[in-house]
Amino acid sequence: MKRNILITGGAGFIGSHVVRLFVNKYPDYHIVNLDKLTYAGNLANLKDIEDNPNYTFVKADIADLDEMRRIITEYKIDGIIHLAAESHVDRSIKDPFTFARTNVMGTLALLQAAKEYWESLPEKYEGKRFYHISTDEVYGALKLTNPEGIESPFTTAASSEHHHAYGAEFFLETTKYNPHSPYSASKASSDHFVRAYHDTYGMPTIVTNCSNNYGPFQFPEKLIPLFINNIRHRKPLPVYGKGENVRDWLYVVDHARAIDTIFHEGKTAETYNIGGFNEWKNIDIIKVVIKTVDRLLGNPEGYSDELITYVTDRLGHDMRYAIDSRKLQRELGWEPSLQFEEGIEKTVRWYLDNQAWMDNITSGDYEKYYDEMYSNR
Ligand code: NAD
Ligand code: DAU
């Protein structure tokens, strides 16, 4: 079937994996990648598919309503996968307004432009879909009731040896929203607007809330690529607080696979949680990263341990995120395909093999920004 799909934020980390998957898997779809190319957007993430005949890149700001109207109409868009956002919690603490502008007003502009276009067509919302990508952070923070870890109630074919839960509670699709950071507050607000467009105007929407992603092409302000790069340059590894916070990690290509499944088979107006069934304390994951980088660089074991530097905690730092994604597993048959140990090995190798990609980003202005960001820690 021919379709015209708009993917926003396609030059970012997760978006680039989604664009790649759709361009390669669906030659009959026209994939329009809309991205403002902020500091986080990088067309080098899509070099391998940029010349495909079913792919178009458009530079635009989702908060520009007239531009959204023009683009959606010009390309006769019938499906939207919305990933464009400001995504880094530390930046949101320093500059909340940019987050409200892009994540809230930008999402609203996109919704409004899609509504106007789709309502102008004879078939209206039939065959249309607005899929909004959100985060588990909207649910707030869980308690770390079992710091040593208990047996996880979830298993998947890819469950790894390290398979613990650090508390008995998990985020469900029905968990009440309770965001704490300006980032998660802005994402929560955008999720509400998406649902409001369904409930008020009948727009066929879907929302998914995913846990922490890792993998190739992630901007090196996020924990895993930042630490890989710092180890390579023998720079300190800034561990916030005691390093006890827990995150649930998912390989980015598995998230892209979930997005594909949900875009095509998910039920309108539903929410699906997407998670890795894979909780780690920060300090434990940091030790795995150090060990893997040292081994692949040929350093003796323990060589980079001394780079670990405990720094002032992130303001309002959420203690634990843990997703129960059994609804998606049960209803649509999705689960992670990769064991964490395989995923982290692939990821570290990728960053070490693609040092030019990293060096391009971390030189010049970014270096100045990074030093400023971390100078007061
Ligand atoms: P990212 O920061 O790597 O990429 C964001 C992209 O959006 C960039 O290409 C950027 O240029 C673009 N963008 C930013 N503002 C824009 C604007 N005003 N108009 C158009 N484009 C704009 O982010 P990511 O980590 O790939 O996250 C993508 C989405 O997934 C976000 O909505 C995020 O909230 C969500 N999410 C991320 C994770 C994660 O672990 N990274 C987990 C769950 C959900
Ligand atoms: O849970 C999903 C979310 O995961 C996404 O919605 C966000 O877009 C994404 O950025 C991510 O948020 P986190 O804040 O969890 O990711 P980050 O990589 O910034 O941090 C992971 C953990 O590591 C967190 O507990 C803070 C800690 N940390 C992070 C950095 C950058 C450190 O200890 N030191 C660091 O230098």
Side-chain angles (χ1 to χ4, degrees), residues 14 86-90 134-137 183 187 210-213 218 221-227 237-241 243 245-249 282 286 311 313-314 317-319 321 370 374 377:
I14 302 171
E86 288 292 337
S87 69
H88 190 42
V89 175
D90 293 328
S134 191
T135 170
D136 58 359
E137 301 200 10
Y183 164 68
K187 291 296 289 188
C210 188
S211 64
N212 285 61
N213 285 216
Q218 187 168 29
E221 63 189 350
K222 307 282 165 65
L223 182 76
I224 291 182
L226 174 70
F227 277 36
L237 307 175
V239 181
Y240 299 168
N245 304 66
V246 171
R247 298 289 182 267
D248 170 6
W249 294 91
N282 288 345
I286 287 164
V311 298
D313 209 353
R314 173 183 278 173
H317 197 173
D318 286 340
M319 185 44 93
Y321 303 142
Y370 177 83
Y374 289 91
R377 288 192 170 276

Side-chain angles (χ1 to χ4, degrees), residues 6-11 19 31-35 43 46 55-58:
L6 181 72
I7 299 180
T8 71
V19 167
I31 304 301
V32 179
N33 171 13
L34 185 162
D35 199 295
L43 288 176
L46 289 166
Y55 172 72
T56 303
F57 173 71
V58 183

Side-chain angles (χ1 to χ4, degrees), residues 166-196:
Y166 292 94
E169 279 186 304
F170 299 89
F171 295 138
L172 282 163
E173 286 80 359
T174 49
T175 300
K176 194 166 147 279
Y177 273 32
N178 185 20
H180 299 301
S181 72
Y183 164 68
S184 53
S186 69
K187 291 296 289 188
S189 171
S190 64
D191 296 7
H192 291 317
F193 270 109
V194 172
R195 294 196 179 99

